[in-house]
Amino acid sequence: MLTDRKVGEERRFFLKKLFNFLFFLASISFTLLGLIVFKPSNPKRRDYIFYSVPEDRIPNEGVKKVDIKIENLSKSFKIFLVKKDNSLIAFSPACTHLGCFVNFDINSMEFVCPCHGGRYDIEGKAVAGPPKDPLNRLPIKIENKKVYVGIKI
Ligand code: FES
């Protein structure tokens, strides 16, 4: 037969275990809630500003370098627009080796990096030199017959 003292000890033991379990559940709940509310941002994710490209800067065929000035940010950017087989591609000029700006060589029809001789074909694929990755393509959208290129800010 259980004495009152033994019953009291068992009740305290049970309440202590219950309290620990509830505390554990609350900790997990707050952690999950914190992750949902204060979701860590992806450092690779960056926002784009879509810039309307003037019609005369869009090549009929081939490559054009376009200077973009975004007045309200006081920033300017360079991009390459490539029109090939009726499709338009926008490239960042930054070499994927160490970031120097490439130029387009009309004779070889390649993008050439002045720093270490990296070369890319007209579709941005690395074809020679140290770069392994292709030139970064920029998003393009067409709205109301206007071309917009996404610039990372
Ligand atoms: S930075 Fe372009 S090849 Fe090295």
Side-chain angles (χ1 to χ4, degrees):
M1 188 168 158
L2 293 173
T3 62
D4 286 344
R5 187 170 173 211
K6 189 88 171 164
V7 169
E9 278 178 20
E10 283 187 6
R11 186 178 294 149
R12 273 193 298 279
F13 180 77
F14 173 75
L15 288 174
K16 189 176 173 184
K17 287 285 183 192
L18 180 65
F19 177 78
N20 286 344
F21 178 71
L22 290 175
F23 182 77
F24 174 73
L25 277 184
S27 300
I28 287 180
S29 300
F30 280 115
T31 302
L32 290 176
L33 186 65
L35 285 173
I36 290 168
V37 172
F38 303 107
K39 186 178 173 184
S41 63
N42 182 349
K44 288 186 174 178
R45 187 183 156 269
R46 293 168 72 182
D47 292 325
Y48 289 96
I49 281 185
F50 278 87
Y51 170 80
S52 169
V53 181
E55 213 165 292
D56 66 332
R57 302 306 302 149
I58 298 170
N60 292 326
E61 191 69 30
V63 179
K64 269 192 182 176
K65 190 180 200 175
V66 181
D67 292 311
I68 294 173
K69 285 192 176 77
I70 299 179
E71 302 296 339
N72 56 353
L73 291 179
S74 301
K75 285 187 171 184
S76 59
F77 303 88
K78 293 185 187 329
I79 63 167
F80 284 104
L81 285 177
V82 177
K83 184 94 171 255
K84 185 172 182 270
D85 300 331
N86 233 8
S87 66
L88 187 65
I89 308 169
F91 290 114
S92 160
C95 178
T96 55
H97 178 226
L98 292 177
C100 294
F101 279 9
V102 299
N103 298 308
F104 187 71
D105 178 18
I106 192 86
N107 297 318
S108 64
M109 295 296 281
E110 289 178 336
F111 295 97
V112 180
C113 180
C115 293
H116 312 104
R119 301 179 89 84
Y120 303 84
D121 69 13
I122 198 166
E123 293 178 1
K125 185 178 158 209
V127 292
K132 301 286 178 250
D133 296 321
L135 288 174
N136 289 314
R137 289 187 181 207
L138 302 172
I140 290 181
K141 65 181 183 182
I142 298 172
E143 286 178 4
N144 301 324
K145 296 182 181 173
K146 293 199 96 185
V147 174
Y148 294 86
V149 175
I151 306 292
K152 284 182 182 178
I153 54 167

